[in-house]
């Protein structure tokens, strides 16, 4: 799938997920180079990241009930 204004969002998400091939990535980067407004949007998406908090919840096994 070649990047264009109707499908670039899907390709951006796939690129952020790391699922694009090298050729698809090259095509997307060329498209972004030709479309600075979309490049700005892509840059802002790269700033966002989500990571687990690493919180611990001791004693959570006490919350389980048997079916009886």
């Amino acid at each position: 799938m070649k990047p264009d204004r109707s499908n670039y969002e899907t390709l951006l998400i796939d690129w952020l997920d790391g699922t694009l091939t090298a050729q698809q990535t090259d095509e997307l980067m060329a498209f972004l180079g030709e479309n600075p407004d979309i490049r700005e949007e892509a840059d802002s998406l790269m700033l966002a990241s989500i990571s687990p908090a690493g919180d611990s919840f001791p004693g959570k096994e006490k919350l389980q009930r048997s079916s009886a």
Side-chain angles (χ1 to χ4, degrees):
M1 166 171 40
K2 293 258 186 202
D4 60 34
R5 289 192 170 266
S6 67
N7 67 4
Y8 75 91
E9 292 167 326
T10 301
L11 290 168
L12 277 177
I13 291 169
D14 289 344
W15 177 67
L16 291 170
D17 287 343
T19 59
L20 292 183
T21 65
Q23 180 181 354
Q24 290 171 319
T25 300
D26 291 343
E27 290 173 353
L28 178 61
M29 293 303 132
F31 174 77
L32 292 176
E34 296 167 359
N35 296 278
D37 58 321
I38 295 175
R39 178 61 188 221
E40 186 177 321
E41 180 182 346
D43 289 343
S44 68
L45 286 174
M46 286 186 276
L47 296 175
S49 66
I50 300 173
S51 58
D55 292 337
S56 175
F57 300 98
K60 63 184 174 188
E61 63 280 348
K62 294 176 185 175
L63 296 173
Q64 294 180 343
R65 287 197 265 182
S66 67
S67 59

